[in-house]
């Protein structure tokens, strides 16, 4: 069934650069068809910040219910919103914007997506757990906030640039009453910290290219741990493969993508009530990923 467009169709979309590989249009449009809402989700490729400013002005006067924001604009989007939810302020990044009467309200659904997907895919509850977050960018920030809200016992942020980890920890610590938030540099000395963790999260961009190594050596991973890579590919990422090889439980970022998208949809359609059809969204995302991988194989032959 194709996308239905009427004189009253409203818009949603994804701003980023590049966005042609995004699975969100397939995932959201499948959900809108299943929900029978008069809404269409489009890619919004935005090359630079000057273009971002013009696109945001246009969105304010077009019939947008909201939009997602991906790399490299999640941090910049904070300044374009008229209001930013506390969680997104703490995370230091906005991935979902709700358009309400020309006003832009910023949210961050990434961290909740991660925690929800760990619960639904693995039955893993972060409460009281020791967690290592590798990376200190926007995705790491949203994960940290959700871990603090979920009352994780101890979170250690490991990052290539220690100053970025410290800035993130300083922002979130005042809200972390039941979670100890620590930082360390991602180097050869932190094997012990990673081995002690119940949950290890990759929130770096390492893994996006097929040739990327895992962000931590497989010798630091073991059976009994849960490893969550925010990155997803048609084939297992190097981290997921390394974790499974040592008997750890590993998930990639596809479940997180679906869960963050479902939460965004529920924010945009809150007046209609109901919940987003996560199974439909997951299936559409898997099909879009498989067909991208098929096209890439065809192009390389
Ligand atoms: P970001 O703000 O650019 O942060 C990137 C992080 O990766 C920084 O901490 C950076 O460290 C680290 N990094 C980059 N290259 C590295 C390398 N070669 N070795 C070690 N660390 C490196 O990006 P982001 O928005 O947080 O996104 C991070 C990843 O999460 C991306 O791959 C993104 O696709 C993924 N993500 C997935 C979902 C999902 O739904 N599955 C949602 C959000 C994000 P420095 O501070 O030292 O530069």
């Amino acid at each position: 069934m194709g996308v239905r467009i009427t004189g009253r169709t409203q818009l949603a979309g994804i701003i980023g650069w590049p966005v042609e590989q995004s699975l969100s249009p397939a995932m959201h449009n499948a959900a809108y068809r299943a929900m029978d809402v008069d809404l269409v989700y489009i890619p919004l490729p935005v090359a630079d910040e000057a273009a971002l400013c013009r696109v945001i002005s246009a969105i304010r006067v077009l019939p947008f219910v909201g939009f997602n924001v991906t790399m490299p604009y999640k941090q910049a989007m904070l300044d374009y919103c008229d209001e930013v939810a506390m969680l997104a302020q703490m995370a230091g990044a906005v991935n979902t914007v709700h358009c309400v009467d020309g006003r832009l309200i910023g949210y961050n659904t990434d961290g909740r997506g991660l925690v929800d997907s760990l619960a639904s895919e693995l039955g893993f509850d972060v409460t009281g757990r020791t967690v290592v977050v590798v990376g200190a960018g926007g995705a790491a920030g949203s994960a940290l906030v959700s871990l603090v809200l979920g009352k994780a016992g101890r979170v250690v942020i490991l990052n290539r640039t220690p100053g970025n980890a410290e800035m993130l920890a300083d922002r979130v610590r005042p809200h972390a009453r039941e979670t100890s938030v620590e930082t360390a540099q991602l180097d050869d000395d932190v094997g012990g910290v990673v081995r002690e963790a119940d949950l290890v999260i990759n929130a770096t961009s390492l893994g996006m290219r097929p040739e990327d190594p895992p962000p931590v050596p497989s010798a630091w991973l073991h059976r009994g741990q849960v490893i969550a890579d925010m990155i997803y590919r048609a084939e297992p990422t190097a981290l997921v493969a390394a974790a499974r090889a040592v008997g750890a439980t590993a998930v990639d970022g596809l479940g997180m993508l679906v869960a963050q998208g479902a939460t965004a949809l529920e924010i945009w359609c809150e007046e209609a009530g109901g919940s987003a059809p996560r199974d439909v969204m997951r299936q559409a995302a898997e099909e879009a990923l498989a067909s991208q991988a098929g096209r890439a194989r065809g192009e390389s032959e």
Side-chain angles (χ1 to χ4, degrees), residues 15-16 44-62 67 69 73 76-81 102 104:
I15 287 180
L44 296 161
V46 171
D48 53 38
E49 220 173 306
L52 178 65
C53 186
R54 293 198 296 275
V55 169
I56 300 285
S57 298
I59 283 177
R60 285 181 190 276
V61 293
L62 285 166
F67 56 96
V69 184
Y73 301 120
M77 195 61 220
L78 282 167
D79 294 332
Y80 288 93
C81 290
L104 305 181

Side-chain angles (χ1 to χ4, degrees), residues 182-194:
E182 299 159 39
T183 66
Q185 180 158 19
L186 178 60
D187 61 20
D188 294 343
D189 296 333
V190 289
V193 176
V194 175

Side-chain angles (χ1 to χ4, degrees), residues 197-240:
D198 301 307
L199 168 64
V200 180
I201 298 167
N202 176 31
T204 72
S205 24
L206 262 184
M208 293 185 79
R209 295 171 309 171
E211 65 274 20
D212 280 346
V216 293
S218 58
W220 296 356
L221 309 176
H222 57 82
R223 185 182 291 276
Q225 282 180 315
V226 169
I227 314 299
D229 196 344
M230 288 198 185
I231 299 187
Y232 50 82
R233 317 177 48 78
E235 313 298 329
T237 61
L239 178 62
V240 167

Side-chain angles (χ1 to χ4, degrees), residues 36 71 84 90 92 108 117 122 136 138 141 150 157-158 165 175 237 243 269:
D36 196 25
M71 282 157 93
V84 178
M90 283 163 65
N108 195 313
S117 73
L122 304 177
I157 309 163
L158 300 181
H175 307 275
T237 61
C269 299

Side-chain angles (χ1 to χ4, degrees), residues 158-181:
L158 300 181
N159 199 45
R160 179 178 62 178
T161 311
N164 292 344
E166 282 150 24
M167 265 191 315
L168 173 57
D170 286 347
R171 206 164 57 237
V172 176
R173 254 190 217 113
H175 307 275
R177 294 209 183 92
E178 289 164 80
T179 308
S180 135
V181 178

Side-chain angles (χ1 to χ4, degrees), residues 233-284:
R233 317 177 48 78
E235 313 298 329
T237 61
L239 178 62
V240 167
R244 288 182 182 153
V246 298
T249 302
V251 286
D252 70 10
L254 199 65
M256 172 181 176
L257 177 84
V258 172
Q260 65 74 31
T263 305
L265 200 172
E266 286 160 1
I267 290 170
W268 300 332
C269 299
E270 65 188 343
E271 281 172 22
S275 53
R278 286 164 171 74
D279 293 351
V280 170
M281 295 173 81
R282 172 93 198 193
Q283 193 185 338

